[in-house]
Amino acid sequence: MKKLVIHGGRRLSGEVTIGGAKNSTVALIPAAILAETPVKFDSVPDILDVYNLQVILESMNVTSTFKGGELMIDPTEIIEAELPSTAIKSLRASYYFMGSLLGRFGRATVTFPGGDNIGPRPIDQHIKGFEALGAKVREENDTVYITADDGLKGARIFLDMVSVGATMNIILAAVHAEGTTILENAAREPEIIDLATFLNNMGAQIRGAGTDVVRITGVPKLESKNTHTIIPDRIEAGTYLALAAAQGDGVLVKNVIPEHLESFTAKMIEMGVQLDVREDSIYVPKSENLTPIHIKTAPFPGFATDLQQPITPLLTLADGESVITETIYPERTRHIPELQKLGVAIENPEYGQITVTKSNNFHGASVAAAEIRAGASLVTAGLMADGITEVTNAEHVLRGYDHIIHKLTMLNADIQIAED
Ligand SMILES: CC(=O)N[C@H]1[C@@H](OP(=O)(O)OP(=O)(O)OC[C@H]2O[C@@H](n3ccc(=O)[nH]c3=O)[C@H](O)[C@@H]2O)O[C@H](CO)[C@@H](O)[C@@H]1O
Ligand SMILES: C=C(OP(=O)(O)O)C(=O)O
């Protein structure tokens, strides 16, 4: 295991460039096996999830090379094979192989996915979608067996709740299905548009991605003709924006799509952070006299659950009590006891509710990252704290933050990675 060692208290300044979106990337890689040709992505983030997905691809005889942000995947010699369960368990998004294998071969056998411990994460809506398309689904010994012996047929599917994963998975399965699938109450996250753009550029017919009704008309063949550039990671961007406001003396966050962050930047502005939102970058000046806010997490375009923990250290600078209502993952609270060790006044008074009050004098401590965004909040708080903070279980952070040591060091932070 690895740990991050932070000598906190240094003021941050300069520029940081955001990488490609993790949540696009982890869907695009499984999507690549639907192509009859090699595919190429650029702006691919250097994160552990990508390396684990490459291990899964390799088990299917799909070769891939990843260098300098460019990922080439050749699925032309793909074979059906047992997928490596350690890699499958290392990330949530391995469940996208259910949709893409089903689309490609008409059947899929995938171990239950792993991923972050942020409370229950059922996949009933994914399964409901596959069944509506004509597949039979059986769950046994932690494994999901999906078969569509008579092929998949377009269907009308209404999701019971807005789910990013189910929306993506149903799109993946439906691209080769016979006829048209109409997916209602679909998630509207920008990463879904990114997936649809990639597939459409290869010949798929997906309309309405980014709205709550997505129509997918099956096509027999997908062929890649150009490189797909992955959209910037709005969650990584939000993490740096919050850090910059909390500990910066002027930070420019580059390669962002500000429209993807509106619910987040609106809250920062409400706090009194004088953001300068430009075309594809956001400047964060030194922030003072902040006021507390109320945040309610919600599906896009609402405030992202993935950003409630990264913004938390900033809330400690506001004069009063801020309240976060976590509606997506009410048990996403594993950062709380760890932040308390650093001196943060944070409580979980009732299920799904988190309160944060003004806390002076953070002090370094040894803390554990239970999951990716809990880890991001600990790194932010550690950079604000006096003394040394060690964040153990750093793999959770490295799973989704591209070149984090380099980026923070360039902003004048003192952070190292070490074996634990
Ligand atoms: C790889 C990826 O993109 N991960 C993101 C994705 O996760 P993921 O796609 O797993 O999250 P979902 O959007 O599916 O989950 C939303 C809510 O629906 C519930 N649900 C979901 C599916 C289902 O079949 N049944 C069900 O009850 C979940 O428990 C949760 O309460 O969206 C989450 C919510 O924005 C983010 O936190 C994750 O970073
Ligand atoms: C919960 C997250 O990721 P995953 O769905 O990949 O576990 C996240 O990115 O915050």
Side-chain angles (χ1 to χ4, degrees):
M1 295 299 282
K2 294 197 178 344
K3 64 181 177 184
L4 298 170
V5 183
I6 301 165
H7 288 75
R10 289 167 69 144
R11 301 293 300 176
L12 307 180
S13 60
E15 296 183 354
V16 60
T17 301
I18 299 307
K22 157 184 160 285
N23 288 351
S24 281
T25 306
V26 298
L28 290 165
I29 295 174
I33 68 164
L34 287 162
E36 309 281 335
T37 56
V39 304
K40 204 162 143 196
F41 299 111
D42 69 16
S43 230
V44 180
D46 194 326
I47 53 176
L48 287 185
D49 275 10
V50 169
Y51 296 103
N52 280 311
L53 286 165
Q54 284 187 285
V55 171
I56 300 172
L57 290 176
E58 200 183 324
S59 71
M60 291 181 261
N61 200 36
V62 174
T63 53
S64 64
T65 51
F66 181 31
K67 208 165 167 230
E70 276 195 3
L71 176 66
M72 219 279 297
I73 299 177
D74 185 352
T76 50
E77 305 290 327
I78 188 169
I79 52 166
E80 287 185 89
E82 196 178 324
L83 305 186
S85 55
T86 314
I88 295 273
K89 286 278 178 207
S90 73
L91 79 162
R92 186 75 195 157
S94 44
Y95 57 28
Y96 291 131
F97 283 107
M98 294 180 191
S100 62
L101 283 168
L102 187 58
R104 174 94 198 208
F105 294 112
R107 57 187 167 256
T109 301
V110 183
T111 310
F112 245 89
D116 277 341
N117 188 343
I118 54 179
R121 303 183 77 178
I123 57 166
D124 55 297
Q125 298 304 302
H126 306 229
I127 289 170
K128 169 175 137 168
F130 299 145
E131 286 176 339
L133 294 172
K136 288 205 173 10
V137 183
R138 182 166 59 87
E139 290 171 49
E140 212 176 282
N141 297 332
D142 204 32
T143 300
V144 187
Y145 300 85
I146 313 169
T147 48
D149 294 340
D150 301 328
L152 297 171
K153 298 206 174 45
R156 197 177 197 109
I157 303 164
F158 194 102
L159 294 180
D160 296 341
M161 77 276 301
V162 177
S163 160
V164 177
T167 301
M168 300 256 214
N169 237 339
I170 291 167
I171 292 174
L172 291 170
V175 281
H176 286 322
E178 193 190 316
T180 298
T181 297
I182 301 172
L183 178 59
E184 293 177 89
N185 200 26
R188 292 180 283 164
E189 269 66 1
E191 293 77 21
I192 294 164
I193 306 179
D194 206 16
L195 174 69
T197 304
F198 167 64
L199 293 168
N200 282 342
N201 284 338
M202 295 199 299
Q205 283 191 33
I206 304 162
R207 302 288 174 261
T211 76
D212 61 1
V213 183
V214 183
R215 289 182 168 75
I216 310 124
T217 301
V219 297
K221 212 163 148 182
L222 297 179
E223 288 180 344
S224 172
K225 296 193 177 65
N226 36 40
T227 302
H228 179 85
T229 301
I230 298 172
I231 60 169
D233 193 312
R234 63 198 164 94
I235 309 299
E236 187 196 10
T239 304
Y240 282 100
L241 289 172
L243 169 64
Q247 191 64 17
D249 285 337
V251 172
L252 183 65
V253 182
K254 292 165 54 174
N255 192 35
V256 297
I257 298 179
E259 291 75 15
H260 292 175
L261 278 154
E262 267 169 358
S263 54
F264 186 78
T265 49
K267 281 293 164 189
M268 289 185 71
I269 292 166
E270 192 182 321
M271 286 186 79
V273 181
Q274 312 269 315
L275 293 178
D276 178 6
V277 180
R278 304 171 186 172
E279 203 176 317
D280 61 0
S281 63
I282 301 178
Y283 180 73
V284 191
K286 181 176 166 63
S287 302
E288 282 158 327
N289 304 324
L290 299 178
T291 50
I293 50 169
H294 284 209
I295 291 171
K296 191 172 181 178
T297 64
F300 190 85
F303 192 102
T305 165
D306 296 350
L307 282 171
Q308 62 98 342
Q309 293 151 305
I311 203 175
T312 294
L314 176 65
L315 302 180
T316 66
L317 302 182
D319 224 344
E321 183 182 80
S322 292
V323 181
I324 298 171
T325 307
E326 173 56 86
T327 72
I328 313 283
Y329 296 113
E331 294 175 30
R332 198 168 200 177
T333 52
R334 296 180 75 206
H335 56 308
I336 294 179
E338 304 304 293
L339 284 175
Q340 286 168 342
K341 289 181 195 160
L342 295 170
V344 176
I346 181 167
E347 303 291 337
N348 182 201
E350 55 187 86
Y351 191 68
Q353 205 183 75
I354 300 163
T355 55
V356 184
T357 39
K358 191 162 180 136
S359 335
N360 297 314
N361 307 325
F362 288 8
H363 45 81
S366 179
V367 289
E371 43 106 348
I372 175 172
R373 309 303 168 191
S377 74
L378 295 173
V379 170
T380 302
L383 290 166
M384 295 163 71
D386 286 330
I388 301 175
T389 294
E390 291 195 348
V391 181
T392 61
N393 292 352
E395 281 77 1
H396 286 299
V397 179
L398 303 175
R399 193 168 88 63
Y401 283 92
D402 169 71
H403 291 117
I404 186 169
I405 304 292
H406 174 73
K407 289 182 183 181
L408 288 172
T409 305
M410 295 309 284
L411 289 175
N412 191 41
D414 184 341
I415 179 166
Q416 267 104 35
I417 189 151
E419 290 301 325
D420 192 18

